[in-house]
Amino acid sequence: MTGRQTRLLLVGRSRYALPLSPSLAKKFDALSERFELRQLGTGTGSDPRFVLHRPLPSRALDGAAFYLLLPWRIARQLREFRPAAVLAQSPFEAAAALLARRLVARRDTVPVVVELHGDPASFARLYGSPLRRLLAPVLDRLAARTIRRADAVRALSPFTVELARRQGVEPAAVFTTFTDLTAFSEPPVRPLPDRPRAVFVGVLERYKNVDGVAAAWRLAAPRVPGARLLLVGDGRQPEPFERLVADLPGQTEWVRRLPTEEVVRVLDDSWVLLLPSRSEGTPRVILEALCRGRGVIGGRVGGIPDAVHDGENGFLVDPADHAGIADALVRVLSDRALAERLGSQALADSEQWRYTPEDYAGNVAELVERVAR
């Protein structure tokens, strides 16, 4: 089985705006060198490799419509595109693919590979509409059953390897998704600024622990009166940040959106990245901070400990322990030498997270060839 003769169907809930951004284009162009590619997702624009569901105005209805229609959309691709394998972004897309395979009932069964980017249990509890929580027990059982019944599992990190093993499944492959870090790794790393500052970068959702960030800074700010906290992000939970900026305007700043080059700048102008999330896979912003030589205060959850090593390139904290998060902030923002030591190790550790889109495409090709056999 050779690259261009192999058809691969990718299925995911990700939103795409076509034409692709330069960083995403690197990933899909590398895959296209190996495969005849088809991506099912949601979004707008035109690219022959993409079959997109146009988003509905309501995000809650859009998600429900996407997953309800997905088995039939996949079944159509199985009939018309006839892929050698289906690579599903989570157990929920993989469940739709397994159902689609039954609908089509092809004699040559198409293998379904499920990717584990993070903990499926967080899908209903910490993401999207709060109404999802009512479905959590059902979705937990569906995810576990799908992981066990898929033809192969691809884990992205030691954390997701353990998630697969809890279901009695050994991953067929373990490799992270390509992340274009060149904008963060190529510019020379700058020394710490004179004034201590922490920065939070993330979407304002429950899983990012937005309320915990605000509560911890209320405790920490009086103990480091010369320090500041910059908040970067937007989403469905802006209220904690709105109140925080109103109450501590001299030590808190909030910017809803920044382009990539500005994220580089705000990391350079900070001593430490703050990301005490309640759930994560492998957070891109942590890898970006490592590339800029900045330590990280991160939640001891999910894939964060795969990148943040406690006491070496940052500190791991309990997301529910606001006082503990505040203590870590005070510790770093009060000690320039400590912040520099964490940052130096962060820069050294960033090397292991840098790899090319061609490396990623090669790993996918090896996995697909193995399961297709």
Side-chain angles (χ1 to χ4, degrees):
M1 192 180 299
T2 59
R4 289 191 179 275
Q5 296 172 337
T6 304
R7 295 180 176 181
L8 176 62
L9 178 62
L10 305 176
V11 183
R13 177 75 171 88
S14 298
R15 291 188 176 220
Y16 297 95
L18 304 175
L20 294 170
S21 66
S23 59
L24 271 180
K26 291 179 183 179
K27 170 185 171 181
F28 281 94
D29 290 348
L31 287 172
S32 297
E33 288 294 317
R34 296 271 188 165
F35 302 100
E36 185 177 345
L37 198 66
R38 189 71 56 83
Q39 170 75 61
L40 279 183
T42 185
T44 57
S46 177
D47 183 317
R49 298 172 295 182
F50 288 77
V51 180
L52 299 180
H53 161 86
R54 182 172 292 275
L56 299 176
S58 165
R59 290 180 67 91
L61 293 177
D62 178 60
F66 177 83
Y67 286 106
L68 287 172
L69 294 174
L70 191 57
W72 286 268
R73 295 179 67 209
I74 296 174
R76 180 175 180 179
Q77 294 301 319
L78 295 183
R79 293 189 191 97
E80 298 178 0
F81 183 56
R82 301 186 68 83
V86 178
L87 198 60
Q89 192 177 46
S90 83
F92 306 107
E93 286 90 342
L98 292 173
L99 176 56
R101 194 166 68 180
R102 295 183 66 180
L103 293 172
V104 173
R106 271 177 47 178
R107 187 172 300 174
D108 52 334
T109 301
V110 180
V112 173
V113 181
V114 58
E115 297 182 327
L116 286 179
H117 290 250
D119 187 350
S122 299
F123 176 77
R125 294 169 175 83
L126 297 174
Y127 291 77
S129 168
L131 294 176
R132 281 192 192 178
R133 296 180 213 176
L134 300 175
L135 299 174
V138 174
L139 294 178
D140 288 348
R141 289 194 292 272
L142 176 64
R145 178 181 174 86
T146 302
I147 291 168
R148 293 193 296 267
R149 298 195 63 179
D151 297 281
V153 170
R154 173 203 159 200
L156 274 71
S157 68
F159 166 63
T160 53
V161 168
E162 288 305 312
L163 291 178
R165 287 174 176 167
R166 288 177 199 170
Q167 302 302 328
V169 176
E170 189 64 28
V174 183
F175 58 91
T176 189
T177 295
F178 169 71
T179 301
D180 185 13
L181 297 170
T182 53
F184 296 84
S185 61
E186 287 186 349
V189 173
R190 295 172 53 189
L192 297 184
D194 293 334
R195 186 174 184 180
R197 185 175 79 169
V199 60
F200 165 91
V201 182
V203 64
L204 307 191
E205 297 283 356
R206 294 196 306 279
Y207 77 98
K208 289 293 186 182
N209 197 14
V210 176
D211 52 326
V213 169
W217 186 240
R218 290 180 188 278
L219 296 173
R223 298 163 60 188
V224 281
R228 294 177 59 85
L229 172 65
L230 173 63
L231 307 165
V232 180
D234 200 1
R236 285 185 279 199
Q237 285 200 321
E239 295 83 4
F241 285 3
E242 291 171 347
R243 293 193 296 269
L244 184 65
V245 172
D247 294 343
L248 296 172
Q251 289 185 267
T252 315
E253 182 183 357
W254 179 24
V255 180
R256 290 182 182 267
R257 293 181 182 85
L258 287 177
T260 296
E261 60 272 15
E262 286 298 302
V263 177
V264 174
R265 183 185 63 78
V266 300
L267 286 170
D268 286 348
D269 288 342
S270 302
W271 284 20
V272 68
L273 173 72
L274 176 62
L275 197 74
S277 301
R278 294 185 173 103
S279 175
E280 289 283 358
T282 302
R284 177 190 176 104
V285 69
I286 286 183
L287 307 186
E288 294 168 348
L290 300 183
C291 288
R292 298 314 300 155
R294 297 301 186 259
V296 180
I297 298 172
R300 193 181 284 104
V301 298
I304 291 179
D306 295 335
V308 180
H309 307 135
D310 195 36
E312 298 178 15
N313 62 6
F315 294 110
L316 294 172
V317 294
D318 178 352
D321 182 5
H322 300 162
I325 301 170
D327 288 344
L329 282 165
V330 172
R331 185 175 177 185
V332 177
L333 296 176
S334 301
D335 188 340
R336 183 185 183 91
L338 172 61
E340 289 175 335
R341 177 174 65 80
L342 297 175
S344 177
Q345 187 60 50
L347 182 60
D349 291 343
S350 70
E351 292 291 337
Q352 66 181 289
W353 296 100
R354 305 181 201 179
Y355 76 128
T356 68
E358 290 74 23
D359 292 335
Y360 167 70
N363 288 334
V364 174
E366 290 180 11
L367 172 61
V368 170
E369 183 174 358
R370 190 179 311 135
V371 299
R373 279 203 302 263

